[in-house]
């Protein structure tokens, strides 16, 4: 089939780079929004786990219940640990996304300045 970049001069490369930046900017922003909303729901989940664990401990201390709830509390705390772990991973991903967003913005500004100066 025909090649994507018809020419291979600086003009074609600039055009491709500009197109790539145009595509990257909204993609990075959208990813950032997604990560943010996932992190918010993770915080909510952690709060639910905490209150459930507190409730279980309270019931467990109430000797009228002939039921050992320790295993359930352990399971909950394990789940909570995993939630915190996922949140840390998401936080790192978000930091990387923000840095990428910053680089893309800087590169865009640099390119526009070059184009306005009239030289490549």
């Amino acid at each position: 089939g025909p090649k994507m970049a018809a020419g291979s001069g600086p003009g074609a490369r600039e055009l491709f780079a500009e197109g790539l930046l145009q595509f990257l900017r909204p993609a990075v922003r959208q990813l950032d929004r997604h990560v943010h909303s996932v992190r918010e729901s993770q915080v909510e989940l952690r709060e639910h786990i905490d209150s459930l664990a507190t409730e279980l401990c309270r019931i467990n201390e109430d000797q009228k219940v002939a039921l050992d709830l320790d295993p359930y509390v352990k399971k909950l705390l394990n789940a909570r640990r995993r939630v915190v772990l996922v949140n840390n991973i998401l936080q790192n991903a978000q930091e990387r996304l923000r840095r990428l967003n910053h680089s893309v913005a800087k590169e865009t500004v640099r390119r526009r300045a070059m184009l306005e100066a009239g030289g490549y």
Side-chain angles (χ1 to χ4, degrees):
K3 291 225 162 53
M4 273 281 288
S8 58
R13 276 203 304 276
E14 285 301 314
L15 212 60
F16 176 73
E18 187 56 39
L20 192 59
L21 285 172
Q22 294 290 351
F23 165 76
L24 271 176
R25 273 195 299 273
V28 169
R29 274 200 295 272
Q30 192 185 17
L31 262 176
D32 190 56
R33 280 197 298 272
H34 284 319
V35 171
H36 185 74
S37 62
V38 172
R39 281 185 66 189
E40 281 181 344
S41 61
Q42 290 273 314
V43 167
E44 229 171 276
L45 180 58
R46 198 177 65 221
E47 284 166 0
H48 283 308
I49 290 174
D50 282 348
S51 61
L52 191 51
T54 305
E55 197 58 29
L56 277 182
C57 287
R58 206 178 53 74
I59 294 169
N60 206 19
E61 284 158 11
D62 186 2
Q63 293 310 311
K64 289 192 284 294
V65 182
L67 185 62
D68 183 21
L69 294 175
D70 279 346
Y72 299 100
V73 173
K74 277 199 185 77
K75 271 191 184 138
L76 270 178
L77 293 179
N78 258 334
R80 185 191 194 283
R81 199 174 43 82
R82 283 203 300 275
V83 168
V84 170
L85 214 64
V86 168
N87 195 48
N88 289 342
I89 292 167
L90 286 171
Q91 204 171 351
N92 291 337
Q94 203 168 26
E95 286 305 310
R96 286 208 297 274
L97 278 173
R98 296 228 163 104
R99 282 201 297 273
L100 180 62
N101 204 14
H102 185 66
S103 316
V104 167
K106 248 174 40 183
E107 180 63 13
T108 303
V109 168
R110 193 182 69 79
R111 286 185 175 279
R112 293 217 175 111
M114 267 170 31
L115 287 172
E116 279 158 20
Y120 287 108

